[in-house]
Structures are given as structure tokens and as C-alpha cells.
Amino acid sequence: MLTAPTFGSVEGAYVALLQLATKEPEHRIDARGNAAREVIGASFRLSDPRQRLPYLAERKANPVFQFAEALWYLAGRRDLEMIGYYAPSMRASSADGIHLGGSAYGYTLFNPADAGRSPFDLVAELLLNEPDSKRGYLPVFSAAELAERSNPDVACLAGLHLLPRDGHLHMVCNMRANDLDCGLLSDVFSFTMIQEYLALQLGLRLGTYTHTIGSAHVNDRNADRVGRVLDEAANGPSVNFASPSMPEDTTAATIERLLVHEEALRTNELRYTALHIQHRLDLHPYWQQVVMLFELYRQIQHDQVAAVDPALLHALDPGLRWLMVRKWPACAAAVDGGAQ
Ligand code: 5HM
């Protein structure tokens, strides 16, 4: 088979790649002090890109960060202030302590580059006019990033290729490098969110997502966790939850409104109950879930609660609740008996 192997969800692809790089590495590398096992030229396809979260207790995916990063991209931002709150480790990648560099993909994609239009808008306009086009490419990596040898943040995403075919919007993602344990899951989550968002703007259905990687690697420092994930995938009980569709009326204004709530919660200016989010914010239930995640994270970060508000945890979709309970002890503490 010459096309990339297809998986029903990101979890299957993630486990298969971890297995490949761990058990059959082609190279041992040590770039910038990161000893790793590497496979060159790996790829996979997702038949349903909405299945973008893995349900593995050993991996503990963080849906709060995943949605925050996707919104940060969709809003075209590059500030450390927002993303560093959700992922403190990203602070190390900022050269000036204020902005992210190459990895602020949304800044490259969603800000005006030509005649006041962003690359994203130019591609959307092209594809509306010529759906069969092969030119719908959004480049991200630039060789200019290599000019400064100490640059801590060189884009790993080379580009995103958008292909409307038969009423569906397909995407091919080209990565120069992917950390299979740490980077891959959040990358696939965010890029498929961008794909789904563009499909809505074009009035298309969500197609397939194909992920291609130049250097696919697992860092030695993550080897223990990767081993546990592989054990769980081979022996543990398998769980899965269907992900809902992004609402059809989602536009840039929706993202802006969500980020107003996000900022109020991140800066601890407001606190929300589940009922308030459900009845007062005038948001689609899909996006209400995201605000609920931000409020739960506010309780963990700012209030430093031993147990989060159980009503809020219960209002979450079962898949998000499953992940939050495994990721955050304060969520696990709020669960009474069978609430998981
Ligand atoms: O030395 P280099 O610039 O390639 O190091 C960046 C590391 O972060 C690599 O392991 C790369 O695969 C990983 N990474 C990722 O997997 C980084 C970013 C941010 O651009 C990303 N996915 N989105």
C-alpha cells in the first residue's frame, strides 16, 4: 500500500508510531542535547479527524491545554502569557519571554501577509473559487528561522495542505520533525481543529487528515512513560468516546468571544458555575464544554482546590470528564463513586 496507513482515531496512530520508534528505530540522534530514537519518513491518515484525543490513563492527555492551544492558533496569537498559563514548559521556547517564535503557527497562518489578507484567508478564497485546486498550501517553516543558531523555537510544522474533494475538506500536514510522545498529540489535535474550522467556513464536510513526518522520534527521557503507554495499549482495557462536531455557525467572532471568557478565567477576574455557562453565556453546548474546562483549570490553578466543583465536572461530556479525572488529582477527588 502506497498511501499512509489509516486509523480510526489518533490513539491508534500514536501507539503504532511509539511502537515503531521504540522497537525498530532506524537511527539514534542527539540534536541539541536531546538523545532520541528516530524513524525517518513516517505517516498516517485519520479517517475521522474528530477522534483527536487519546484515552490512555498512562498518557494523561490534557484537554484544557489542547483546546487552549487550538484557540490560540485560531486567534492568530503568539503571546506566551496565554499559552504559558496552560503549558508552563513552553516558556523555555520563548526567546524574549513575551512571544513564542516558530511554534506560534496561528500567528503565521491567521495574520495578514498580503493585501491585508492572511494566508488562511487567501487559501480559503482560492478553494471557494477552485475546489479542485492543488495550491491550497499554508507554509509555516521558513529557512530564515535558521539564521540565528541559538533560536530556541524553530517551527516543526512545515505546512498544511488543504484539498477539497467530493464535498469534503481533506488536509495533509507536513512536519519536519515530531516528538511522537510529547508533540504529536497536541499537533494533531490543533491541526484537525483548524481543518474542521476551515471546512465550516467553506461549507464542506470534514474529510480525512494525513500526517507526514520527516524525523519521527521518541526522546530517551520519555522512554519509561512510553513503555507504560505501550503496555497499557497492549493489555489495558480499551475505552473510547465519540467527539462531537464543531458547530456550523463557528466563525472568527466565536473564537474571539470564547477568548474573552478564557482571559477572564485565566486572570481570575471571573468564576463560573456550570449553570451560568449553560444558560448565561449564549454559547453553543460544544463551546460551553471548553469554557467549563477553563473554569475547572481556574479552580485548580488559582483557587488551588483539593477537589473541583463536582457539578461542573458532571456537566462535562463523558470523554472530557474521563481525561480530566485522570489528569488532575483535584478532578479525581471530586468524583464520587460511579461518576467517572
Ligand atoms: O531541535 P528541534 O528544533 O527539532 O527541536 C524541537 C522538538 O520539539 C523536536 O523534538 C520536535 O519534534 C518537537 N516539536 C513537536 O513535535 C516541536 C513543536 C513546536 O514547533 C511541535 N511539535 N509543534
Side-chain angles (χ1 to χ4, degrees), residues 304-326:
Q304 306 209 337
V305 291
V308 299
D309 172 8
L312 203 56
L313 197 62
H314 281 260
L316 278 185
D317 284 350
L320 294 176
R321 188 162 62 239
W322 192 96
L323 292 169
M324 290 298 279
V325 165
R326 276 143 191 92

Side-chain angles (χ1 to χ4, degrees), residues 31-32 34 36 69 73 90 93 102-105 151-157 175-187 191 213 215-217 219 221:
R32 300 197 303 126
N34 296 306
E69 186 184 59
Y73 288 149
M90 285 174 80
S93 300
S103 62
Y105 306 138
N151 185 350
D153 187 16
V154 172
C156 292
L157 174 63
M175 303 217 60
R176 69 167 174 85
N178 225 180
D179 177 332
L180 299 177
D181 185 43
C182 295
L184 178 116
L185 291 172
S186 50
D187 289 335
F191 303 157
I213 310 169
S215 163
H217 52 270
N219 287 323
R221 64 173 169 276

Side-chain angles (χ1 to χ4, degrees), residues 252-262 281-284 291:
T254 317
I255 308 298
E256 244 178 71
R257 282 180 48 222
L258 279 164
L259 287 177
V260 170
H261 297 297
E262 181 280 328
L281 299 189
D282 192 24
L283 287 172
H284 187 284
V291 177

Side-chain angles (χ1 to χ4, degrees), residues 25 29 45 56 66 72 76 88 97 126 145-146 185 190 192 198 210 226 242 262 270 278 280 287 311 316 320 323 327:
I29 55 170
R45 179 173 292 179
L56 292 160
Q66 308 284 25
W72 186 72
L126 167 78
E145 295 180 71
L146 305 178
L185 291 172
S190 288
T192 57
L198 180 57
T210 304
V226 167
E262 181 280 328
L270 288 177
Q278 286 162 331
R280 296 287 171 81
W287 293 119
L316 278 185
L320 294 176
L323 292 169
K327 176 70 188 171

Side-chain angles (χ1 to χ4, degrees), residues 12-220:
Y14 164 68
V15 169
L17 281 172
L18 288 184
Q19 184 118 26
L20 181 70
T22 306
K23 308 268 158 66
E24 300 167 56
E26 292 177 326
H27 304 279
R28 294 212 58 110
I29 55 170
D30 198 0
R32 300 197 303 126
N34 296 306
R37 290 163 202 233
E38 180 188 59
V39 173
I40 289 179
S43 62
F44 63 86
R45 179 173 292 179
L46 299 183
S47 51
D48 180 359
R50 286 190 189 95
Q51 293 305 113
R52 50 174 76 96
L53 285 166
Y55 297 99
L56 292 160
E58 290 292 351
R59 181 54 182 76
K60 301 192 195 324
N62 178 4
V64 185
F65 168 71
Q66 308 284 25
F67 278 105
E69 186 184 59
L71 292 173
W72 186 72
Y73 288 149
L74 286 166
R77 294 171 66 150
R78 60 171 177 157
D79 58 306
L80 191 57
E81 195 172 340
M82 175 179 165
I83 205 64
Y85 169 74
Y86 299 99
S89 63
M90 285 174 80
R91 295 184 191 283
S93 300
S94 170
D96 61 5
I98 299 170
H99 301 118
L100 265 297
S103 62
Y105 306 138
Y107 185 76
T108 308
L109 300 180
F110 291 92
N111 284 295
D114 176 72
R117 286 170 300 167
S118 68
F120 181 88
D121 287 343
L122 290 170
V123 164
E125 199 178 302
L126 167 78
L127 299 181
L128 274 174
N129 287 299
E130 195 187 8
D132 282 354
S133 181
K134 311 180 288 291
R135 296 181 176 179
Y137 199 83
L138 290 167
V140 173
F141 171 81
S142 151
E145 295 180 71
L146 305 178
E148 176 59 64
R149 286 295 290 278
S150 60
N151 185 350
D153 187 16
V154 172
C156 292
L157 174 63
L160 298 173
H161 195 183
L162 286 313
L163 301 143
R165 300 290 184 265
D166 300 324
H168 292 77
L169 182 67
H170 304 277
M171 181 190 262
V172 179
C173 161
N174 304 130
M175 303 217 60
R176 69 167 174 85
N178 225 180
D179 177 332
L180 299 177
D181 185 43
C182 295
L184 178 116
L185 291 172
S186 50
D187 289 335
V188 171
F189 186 94
S190 288
F191 303 157
T192 57
M193 288 286 283
I194 293 173
Q195 178 187 4
E196 190 170 8
Y197 175 77
L198 180 57
L200 294 177
Q201 312 312 308
L202 298 177
L204 296 170
R205 293 201 293 188
L206 186 61
T208 59
Y209 172 82
T210 304
H211 192 87
T212 69
I213 310 169
S215 163
H217 52 270
V218 171
N219 287 323
D220 289 358

